[in-house]
Amino acid sequence: MRSAQFESREEAQAWVDRQGAPPLLQRPILSGADGRAVLAATRDDPLVHASAALMLLAGLRPQEAVELRVRDYSPGERRLCVGGARRPRTIRIAPSAAAAVDTCLEGQDAAPGEPLLAGLQGVKVVTLFSAAMRRAGLDARVHDLRRAAMAAVLQDGAPVQHLEAYFGIAKPPGRKDLVSVREGYDEGIATVLEAEFAN
């Protein structure tokens, strides 16, 4: 997937920052080592670990992780149906993200309409994640995870159209795309995220 689209993490960050993140979120992008530290720090809590893995290794928004249902996940194929009616998309996720979700689901006999990550409903993902980061002594916020995922994919050289499709980003009205979203693009992105952030 490598191309000359972005020469550095700084250029990728500049693109991510232009996507309209609030000033509070204009923080440095997590490095690969920092992302791996976040995943390691959450490993003792399967719910927090699965939600962090989905935000870092699949680029989900916190609310998207909360809204996932059991029927949205195909474990054997590592596929997620994400975004509901607002930004529907089906993506393949990194093996480590799938493993985290599988661990969280162990021993549960949930119906298809039940929450995939039972326990996130009624609780702020931001609160759970912040508490885990404080305990671990890490300076990472929940929104840093998605931004780090997008930056890693951009730095690897994925076309912007692939990034928009995978992360559910609306393209500007009237833009004509010169690059189409090809079949299997999501597997390439999942591979990049696995290589960058998985232990």
Side-chain angles (χ1 to χ4, degrees), residues 27-44:
R27 296 167 36 89
I29 290 179
L30 293 177
S31 67
D34 291 338
R36 289 186 293 277
V38 164
L39 292 178
T42 60
R43 219 173 278 292
D44 62 338

Side-chain angles (χ1 to χ4, degrees), residues 54-56 58-62 64-65 68 80 82 89 91 146:
L54 287 174
M55 289 181 282
L56 182 62
L60 268 60
R61 296 171 179 88
E64 288 175 333
L68 286 172
L80 271 181
V82 185
R89 63 197 188 278
I91 57 172
R146 177 176 161 85

Side-chain angles (χ1 to χ4, degrees), residues 110-153:
E114 291 183 34
L116 180 66
L117 301 178
L120 286 185
Q121 291 64 38
V123 177
K124 289 189 118 311
V125 177
V126 174
T127 304
L128 287 174
F129 184 78
S130 296
M133 294 302 96
R134 273 194 307 277
R135 286 191 302 275
L138 296 173
D139 179 27
R141 297 180 186 166
V142 74
H143 295 286
D144 293 342
L145 304 180
R146 177 176 161 85
R147 292 176 64 240
M150 291 192 310
V153 171

Side-chain angles (χ1 to χ4, degrees), residues 159-162 164 171 174-182:
V160 171
Q161 292 81 358
H162 291 186
E164 290 169 342
K171 67 180 182 179
R175 186 185 79 199
K176 295 194 187 319
D177 290 336
L178 300 176
V179 176
S180 62
V181 178
R182 61 176 167 65

